[in-house]
């Protein structure tokens, strides 16, 4: 994954594709950067749900968020082994 990406699909197209009940209204964005709000689809109680979240991972063991560099990338080969990503990849997956 790189440090920027684009979303050009309309909210209606994404809702039809992923089948979540929410009807979000978000504009196309062409330069989405870390720490900005991003649209995700997650599984909650067995149902798909749309949500806006802040892009970046703050591991649960971080005591002071101001002193920790926000994580935005993980290597697919080692994501299940690294302490920063291990719990998140097992329990809190989503589609971005």
């Amino acid at each position: 994954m790189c440090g920027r990406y684009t979303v050009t699909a309309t909210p209606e197209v994404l809702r039809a594709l992923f089948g979540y009940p929410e009807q979000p209204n978000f504009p196309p964005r062409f330069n989405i950067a870390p720490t900005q709000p991003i649209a995700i689809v997650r599984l909650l109680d067995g149902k798909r749900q749309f949500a806006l979240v802040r892009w970046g991972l703050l591991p649960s063991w971080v005591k002071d968020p101001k002193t920790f560099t926000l994580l935005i990338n993980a290597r697919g080969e080692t994501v299940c082994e690294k302490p920063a990503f291990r719990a998140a990849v097992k329990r809190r997956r989503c589609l971005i």
Side-chain angles (χ1 to χ4, degrees):
M1 182 189 284
C2 65
R4 306 278 174 150
Y5 72 99
T6 299
V7 174
T8 57
T10 65
E12 295 81 19
V13 168
L14 292 178
R15 183 172 187 239
L17 180 65
F18 294 112
Y20 48 78
E22 296 83 13
Q23 296 184 7
N25 186 13
F26 54 89
R29 292 173 54 198
F30 299 95
N31 192 19
I32 302 170
T35 73
Q36 291 182 336
I38 59 171
I40 67 163
V41 178
R42 61 185 170 194
L43 204 58
L44 191 63
D45 297 327
K47 297 179 183 174
R48 290 183 181 165
Q49 177 193 47
F50 173 89
L52 286 175
V53 298
R54 182 176 181 232
W55 179 10
L57 177 71
L58 198 59
S60 60
W61 43 262
V62 171
K63 302 246 187 284
D64 185 7
K66 293 179 182 177
T67 63
F68 190 83
T69 304
L70 197 63
L71 302 172
I72 62 166
N73 290 326
R75 294 183 64 88
E77 299 87 1
T78 59
V79 71
C80 293
E81 302 160 7
K82 298 290 183 180
F85 298 104
R86 188 172 38 228
V89 79
K90 286 181 184 175
R91 296 181 189 94
R92 294 184 301 273
R93 292 182 176 215
C94 68
L95 296 173
I96 298 175

